[in-house]
Amino acid sequence: MTTPIGPVIIFDDEFHMYVLRDQAFAEAWWEMPDEYTCGFDALARPLCMTGESHKVRLELTGEEPDEAELRRLVANHYRRYLPGQVPPPATALSDFVAALPSEGL
């Protein structure tokens, strides 16, 4: 399996979105694997999180992207946590991901 391409987009157990610069930064930044719900790399490939407290590991679950699900979760994040704002209008995935608000970039 290949390495996730950064940035990585992670959703916590309340579906709050975090955009983190790369796999290493995300693994160092994220503390509790049980607070993780789902995630994607910059190519919209789904991620899983394994490990224990303060020792998490992100891995691709496959090579097949799920751009529709990523965009749906981002739209839900904006509706819930950023009322009055809209997700990036970019049609190209790379532009869409680049326009997301980031943590620690």
Side-chain angles (χ1 to χ4, degrees):
M1 186 104 20
T2 60
T3 302
I5 304 291
V8 295
I9 303 98
I10 296 176
F11 295 88
D12 69 12
D13 54 351
E14 294 180 352
F15 288 94
H16 189 278
M17 176 181 71
Y18 302 87
V19 182
L20 306 167
R21 72 173 164 247
D22 57 26
Q23 177 184 2
F25 182 82
E27 290 173 352
W29 191 79
W30 203 267
E31 296 177 354
M32 303 296 289
D34 61 340
E35 294 176 349
Y36 171 87
T37 297
C38 63
F40 302 86
D41 77 349
L43 301 178
R45 297 178 297 182
L47 302 170
C48 67
M49 184 178 287
T50 59
E52 56 190 65
S53 179
H54 300 279
K55 293 179 184 176
V56 301
R57 177 92 178 127
L58 280 177
E59 299 173 348
L60 290 171
T61 60
E63 293 294 322
E64 195 64 36
D66 194 352
E67 184 176 346
E69 180 66 0
L70 170 60
R71 288 180 182 263
R72 184 188 73 75
L73 290 167
V74 168
N76 287 344
H77 168 82
Y78 271 78
R79 254 190 312 280
R80 187 171 186 183
Y81 296 106
L82 301 170
Q85 297 183 42
V86 295
T91 54
L93 178 61
S94 60
D95 296 333
F96 177 77
V97 170
L100 294 174
S102 303
E103 304 279 340
L105 291 184

